[in-house]
């Protein structure tokens, strides 16, 4: 690695044991412009390394082909392996640089008759004199990185109900007393999936990958992410909830899960090894039941010091694969977005805030969550300025004020917040307000349930459902007999 960063090499030839090669290591080699060629006698390893973007050749490769590969020239595909799989996007995509036609013509012009380059002949003679050492056959060695949780449910589609009734709810209290009486709201303990109808396509603001970001502090990012994913799952959508908070992950605790499997770290490890596919992504996820609906969850890190496991390129591959496999992907992230300049000055090192930056860059919908009190509201304004500066590729955010209440702002809190936002805020409009309901949130957190299960008729639950595009039935009223 030191030789590569110092510019002392043009190519790296790796022969033999390749199971320790990951996407992160190959990226560190290729960033200085080095061509990486790997020789392995295991066909599965060669396919994995091609997925990571490296040039992988069998151990009986012809010397001239190996010379061309080391010089960055295209080499023929291996007929026994078949077509080369599509290179996974991420940090190690495009490891092999494209051959420069001008440089090739200049090189041929200065070569002796017959088009042979002296450097090519010298390298070929060196390889012939050195010989190739046989390596043991590792084709029968079991995969150490295979997921041991094979008994976990991996099919998220077969058990979903296909005959959900989304017709408008009719009034079942037909036996109302004609003599009149006081109207009171019925106290429903839960709302089934049949009571929730999705809105017409195009009405919802949530689509694809939705990243829930917010100002520093506790504006309610995780609470919003969990309940937003639950409301989308209740409409019948195929939803994946990802806890990518590298500072204080808590999605599992919100849902009453006690395991600390770090499903997101498992998926990122498979992506870094070039082995992530739809089946492995589902095995890393935990299936949570929400009133009969299925919600897939990639749990976060149980300890904050494990943040280096969420590498930038690996997490990007996880998000892109999840976007293809699921209708909605909800990502809960931490607030900081800045980079450590000392780490990026003269070396490549993992960044703690890389997970937040990648989730924001890959988002189709970005929710910027803030609170209305005099401390959190200015934090949101400054945080949005830092977000635009640190992540210029971020989409235009939807600004959302959570925990809206008169006690923190005064009379007409929404009007006062809009006026303050117009004077001091950014160019994004302030349109979304979620009410304050501490009792409902406390009860949901205590019982490990979502608002749709613990407080289905609360104003906060209805506001989140409206944000998700779920059309809830109107509150039923009944008359008390005199």
């Amino acid at each position: 690695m030191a030789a590569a960063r110092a510019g002392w090499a043009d190519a790296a030839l790796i022969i033999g044991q390749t199971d320790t090669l990951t996407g992160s290591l190959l990226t560190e080699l290729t960033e200085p412009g080095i061509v990486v060629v790997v020789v392995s006698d295991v066909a599965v390893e060669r396919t994995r390394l091609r997925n990571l973007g490296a040039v992988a050749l069998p151990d009986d490769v012809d010397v001239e082909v190996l010379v061309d590969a080391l010089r960055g020239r295209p080499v023929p595909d291996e007929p026994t392996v078949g077509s080369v799989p599509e290179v996974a996007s991420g940090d190690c995509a495009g490891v092999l640089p494209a051959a420069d036609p001008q440089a090739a013509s200049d090189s041929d012009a200065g070569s002796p008759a017959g088009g042979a380059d002296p450097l090519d002949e010298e390298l070929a003679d060196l390889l012939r004199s050195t010989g190739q050492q046989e390596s043991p056959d590792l084709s029968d060695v079991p995969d150490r990185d295979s997921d041991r949780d094979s008994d976990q449910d991996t099919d998220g589609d077969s058990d979903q109900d296909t005959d959900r009734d989304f017709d408008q709810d009719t009034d079942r209290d037909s036996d109302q007393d004609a003599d009149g009486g006081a109207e009171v709201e019925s106290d429903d303990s839960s709302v089934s999936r049949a009571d929730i109808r999705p809105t017409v396509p195009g009405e919802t603001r949530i689509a694809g990958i939705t990243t829930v970001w917010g100002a520093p502090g506790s504006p309610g990012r995780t609470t919003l992410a969990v309940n937003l994913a639950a409301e989308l799952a209740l409409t019948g959508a195929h939803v994946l909830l990802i806890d990518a908070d590298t500072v204080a992950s808590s999605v599992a605790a919100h849902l009453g899960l006690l395991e600390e499997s770090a499903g997101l770290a498992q998926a990122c490890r498979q992506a870094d090894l070039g082995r992530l596919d739809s089946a492995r992504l589902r095995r890393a996820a935990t299936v949570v039941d929400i009133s009969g609906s299925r919600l897939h969850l990639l749990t976060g890190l149980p300890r904050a010091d494990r943040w280096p496991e969420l590498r930038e390129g690996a997490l990007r591959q996880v998000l892109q694969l999840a976007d293809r496999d699921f209708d909605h992907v909800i990502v809960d992230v931490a607030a900081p977005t800045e980079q450590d300049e000392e780490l990026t000055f003269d070396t490549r090192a993992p960044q703690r805030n890389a997970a937040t930056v990648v989730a924001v860059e890959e988002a189709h919908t970005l929710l910027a969550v803030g609170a209305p009190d005099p401390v959190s509201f200015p934090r949101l304004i400054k945080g949005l300025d830092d977000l635009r500066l640190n992540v210029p590729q971020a989409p235009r955010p939807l600004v959302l004020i959570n925990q809206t209440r008169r006690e923190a702002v005064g009379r007409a809190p929404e009007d006062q917040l809009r006026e303050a936002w117009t004077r001091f805020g950014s160019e994004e409009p302030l349109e979304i307000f979620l009410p304050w309901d501490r009792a409902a949130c406390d009860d949901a957190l205590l019982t490990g349930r979502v608002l749709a299960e613990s407080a289905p008729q609360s104003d906060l639950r209805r506001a989140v459902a409206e944000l998700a595009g779920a059309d809830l039935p109107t509150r039923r009223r009944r008359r008390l007999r005199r």
Side-chain angles (χ1 to χ4, degrees):
M1 294 300 175
R5 293 168 183 166
W8 293 348
D10 299 319
L13 177 60
I14 303 173
I15 304 177
Q17 300 291 340
T18 60
D19 54 347
T20 58
L21 287 179
T22 63
S24 302
L25 293 177
L26 291 176
T27 301
E28 293 188 41
L29 280 174
T30 57
E31 277 195 342
I34 291 180
V35 177
V36 179
V37 179
V38 183
V39 175
S40 174
D41 62 342
V42 183
V44 177
E45 273 296 285
R46 294 196 295 270
T47 303
R48 180 182 75 86
L49 293 169
R50 288 193 184 97
N51 287 334
L52 293 176
V55 179
L57 301 174
D59 58 351
D60 57 350
V61 61
D62 188 74
V63 174
E64 285 73 15
V65 175
L66 184 57
V67 170
D68 290 339
L70 289 172
R71 294 189 61 85
R73 296 172 180 171
V75 296
D77 295 338
E78 182 181 355
T80 57
V81 177
S83 59
V84 179
E86 182 181 355
V87 177
S89 58
D91 281 352
C92 12
V95 169
L96 178 62
D100 188 358
Q102 182 65 30
S105 62
D106 296 341
S107 175
D108 294 339
S111 61
D117 195 313
L119 181 59
D120 291 350
E121 294 181 353
E122 180 182 355
L123 183 58
D125 293 339
L126 178 62
L127 291 173
R128 291 191 186 98
S129 61
T130 304
Q132 296 182 357
Q133 184 179 4
E134 293 185 358
S135 57
D137 187 6
L138 303 179
S139 58
D140 296 331
V141 178
D143 186 7
R144 296 181 304 172
D145 299 292
S146 61
D147 206 321
R148 298 178 177 86
D149 300 330
S150 59
D151 55 341
Q152 188 175 0
D153 186 9
T154 60
D155 187 5
D157 296 326
S158 60
D159 294 337
Q160 289 187 351
D161 294 336
T162 58
D163 56 347
R164 295 184 177 89
D165 183 13
F166 293 122
D167 295 335
Q168 188 172 6
D169 186 26
T170 57
D171 192 1
R172 296 179 177 85
D173 299 324
S174 57
D175 57 345
Q176 293 182 351
D177 188 50
D179 296 335
E183 292 184 353
V184 297
E185 297 179 2
S186 62
D187 186 14
D188 295 336
S189 58
S190 62
V191 176
S192 63
R193 290 175 295 168
D195 295 330
I196 304 176
R197 296 182 295 110
T199 56
V200 179
E203 292 184 2
T204 178
R205 308 180 190 183
I206 305 301
I209 300 176
T210 301
T211 299
V212 182
W213 174 85
S218 300
R221 295 184 299 267
T222 303
T223 301
L224 176 61
V226 169
N227 287 278
L228 184 61
E231 295 297 338
L232 290 170
L234 286 172
T235 62
H238 201 199
V239 184
L240 175 64
L241 176 60
I242 300 178
D243 189 351
D245 192 334
T246 56
V247 177
S249 61
S250 57
V251 171
H254 274 70
L255 294 173
L257 302 178
L258 301 179
E259 64 176 84
E260 295 183 352
S261 58
L264 181 58
Q266 296 179 24
C268 288
R269 189 179 305 115
Q270 294 294 327
D272 204 19
L273 291 171
R275 295 169 178 164
L276 184 65
D277 53 15
S278 299
R280 284 189 171 94
L281 180 62
R282 292 178 183 274
R283 283 198 294 268
T286 302
V287 180
V288 183
D289 180 81
I290 305 293
S291 295
S293 296
R294 296 163 62 91
L295 172 64
H296 290 76
L297 167 66
L298 284 179
T299 53
L301 302 175
R303 299 191 309 273
D305 58 357
R306 293 179 57 182
W307 61 266
E309 298 182 30
L310 305 184
R311 296 296 183 104
E312 177 182 354
L315 180 58
R316 196 181 301 274
Q317 294 182 43
V318 171
L319 292 176
Q320 292 174 355
L321 178 60
D323 186 33
R324 294 192 294 267
D325 288 355
F326 292 86
D327 299 329
H328 295 277
V329 180
I330 309 297
V331 189
D332 178 32
V333 297
T337 57
E338 68 277 359
Q339 289 189 349
D340 192 338
E341 296 183 358
E342 294 183 357
L343 292 177
T344 58
F345 180 70
D346 60 351
T347 184
R348 175 180 176 83
Q351 294 283 331
R352 178 162 193 164
N353 303 328
T356 299
V357 173
V358 169
V360 170
E361 290 177 345
E362 293 293 327
H364 301 99
T365 305
L366 176 60
L367 295 180
V369 185
D373 57 85
V375 174
S376 300
F377 195 75
R379 283 180 177 177
L380 178 61
I381 297 175
K382 297 177 182 178
L384 284 173
D385 293 337
D386 294 338
L387 180 67
R388 283 189 294 269
L389 179 63
N390 299 327
V391 194
Q393 301 87 354
R396 185 181 180 90
L398 291 176
V399 183
L400 183 149
I401 302 300
N402 193 23
Q403 306 172 4
T404 306
R405 58 195 186 277
R406 296 178 56 183
E407 293 80 3
V409 183
R411 300 180 60 183
E414 295 185 5
D415 295 338
Q416 293 198 44
L417 291 173
R418 285 194 183 96
E419 181 180 356
W421 187 263
T422 303
R423 296 177 57 188
F424 306 105
S426 58
E427 57 184 9
E428 289 82 8
L430 181 59
E431 300 177 353
I432 307 175
F433 297 90
L434 298 183
W436 170 265
D437 197 340
R438 171 58 62 187
C441 292
D442 288 344
D443 182 64
L445 189 60
L446 179 63
T447 57
R449 298 184 296 174
V450 297
L451 293 174
E453 296 172 318
S454 62
Q457 299 297 337
S458 64
D459 294 335
L460 177 58
R461 186 267 167 131
R462 290 183 169 273
V464 175
E466 181 181 358
L467 179 63
D471 187 13
L472 299 182
T474 58
R475 295 182 179 179
R476 304 167 187 167
R477 296 180 178 271
R478 63 186 180 186
R479 296 179 180 273
L480 295 178
R481 298 181 182 273
R482 295 179 179 177

